[in-house]
Amino acid sequence: AIPKKSGGERILGIPTIQDRIAQMIARLSFEPLVEPEFLKDSYGYRPRKSAIDALRVTRKRCWYQDWVLEFDIKGLFDNISHELLMKAVRKHTDCKWLLLYIERWLKAPMIKADGEIIGRTQGTPQGGVVSPVLANLFFHYVFDKWMQRNHSNVKWCRYADDGLVHCDSEKQAQQLLIELKERFEACGLELHPTKTKIAYCILHIAKMALEKASTRI
């Protein structure tokens, strides 16, 4: 358990040395199969993409649309459905050893410092080498592809389980919040009650002010 900036604790599942090596081999084998499928506005846990890139594209888009819906998932790594995740994994590989080991790692119990053994029926341990790509794959289908199918004209940006959707109006943002809440709940996830919010882009106001000033000059 490590302290969180927002208070409380975050549980890390640290693999043994042997499993860290094995998970890296699995990741090096599996990541190239899914990376080409991921969408361009997904920035978390991806080669040659960073949080800075996500901030850069978000800042640019805030000049053109007034409202944003910012969301965060409560305990993503703790609540990922094993059934849905393995369904996604099987969509991209039929390699028997990869499927076998990924499923074993998902289900492996965690041993606490006092020796207590905790079973796992959902989630992927935060701290595992293979966990980031698995979490990203899960969210690729839960959010990214869902947005592409249902709101193809809406711009969005996601870094891991933190996402932002650009909207033309507060009404649109509120409607999307309702839809996303339903979508995530259907996939076993919950929006964070305090970190999820709708905000007005002050940058848009600044842009209009600059444009008016330039015309006067």
Side-chain angles (χ1 to χ4, degrees):
I2 62 171
K4 298 173 66 175
K5 291 181 180 179
S6 58
E9 293 182 329
R10 184 190 309 279
I11 302 297
L12 297 185
I14 308 300
T16 62
I17 297 295
Q18 294 95 324
D19 268 333
R20 287 185 223 177
I21 295 170
Q23 285 191 23
M24 179 55 76
I25 294 171
R27 179 176 177 174
L28 292 175
S29 299
F30 184 64
E31 192 171 57
L33 302 178
V34 296
E35 175 60 30
E37 303 295 326
F38 292 159
L39 304 186
K40 66 176 184 177
D41 284 314
S42 165
Y43 291 87
Y45 316 132
R46 298 185 63 186
R48 298 176 296 280
K49 282 179 173 281
S50 70
I52 299 298
D53 295 326
L55 288 172
R56 185 180 294 114
V57 72
T58 296
R59 181 177 61 181
K60 182 178 179 181
R61 289 171 177 173
C62 281
W63 285 84
Y64 301 99
Q65 287 179 286
D66 294 341
W67 295 88
V68 292
L69 165 59
E70 182 183 358
F71 67 85
D72 182 273
I73 299 299
K74 185 177 180 181
L76 171 67
F77 283 89
D78 299 328
N79 296 296
I80 288 177
S81 163
H82 288 176
E83 180 183 356
L84 292 178
L85 177 55
M86 288 307 300
K87 181 180 179 181
V89 171
R90 292 188 183 96
K91 182 179 177 68
H92 296 277
T93 183
D94 58 359
C95 177
K96 291 184 178 180
W97 72 265
L98 262 178
L99 296 173
L100 172 68
Y101 277 94
I102 288 174
E103 192 161 20
R104 281 183 176 179
W105 286 320
L106 291 175
K107 295 180 178 180
M110 185 163 54
I111 304 176
K112 296 178 66 176
D114 60 4
E116 180 186 359
I117 297 178
I118 301 175
R120 183 179 290 109
T121 58
Q122 62 184 23
T124 176
Q126 190 165 359
V129 179
V130 76
S131 292
V133 68
L134 293 179
N136 209 28
L137 176 65
F138 186 76
F139 230 79
H140 170 71
Y141 287 108
V142 170
F143 175 75
D144 302 359
K145 294 294 288 183
W146 183 86
M147 285 293 294
Q148 189 181 60
R149 289 194 309 270
N150 296 279
H151 299 283
S152 58
N153 295 324
V154 176
K155 293 182 174 62
W156 54 269
C157 175
R158 180 178 67 80
Y159 190 93
D161 60 336
D162 294 301
L164 188 145
V165 182
H166 296 269
C167 302
D168 294 321
S169 66
E170 184 179 12
K171 182 179 179 180
Q172 183 189 20
Q174 290 173 341
Q175 179 58 38
L176 271 171
L177 177 58
I178 293 172
E179 292 182 33
L180 282 179
K181 186 173 184 291
E182 293 175 351
R183 170 62 177 173
F184 290 142
E185 288 179 352
C187 298
L189 301 177
E190 179 185 354
L191 286 172
H192 197 288
T194 58
K195 294 182 180 179
T196 300
K197 53 195 173 185
I198 294 172
Y200 188 75
C201 293
I202 192 67
L203 281 173
H204 188 76
I205 300 174
K207 176 177 179 289
M208 290 190 295
L210 287 172
E211 288 176 345
K212 288 182 180 180
S214 63
T215 56
R216 289 172 184 170
I217 294 172

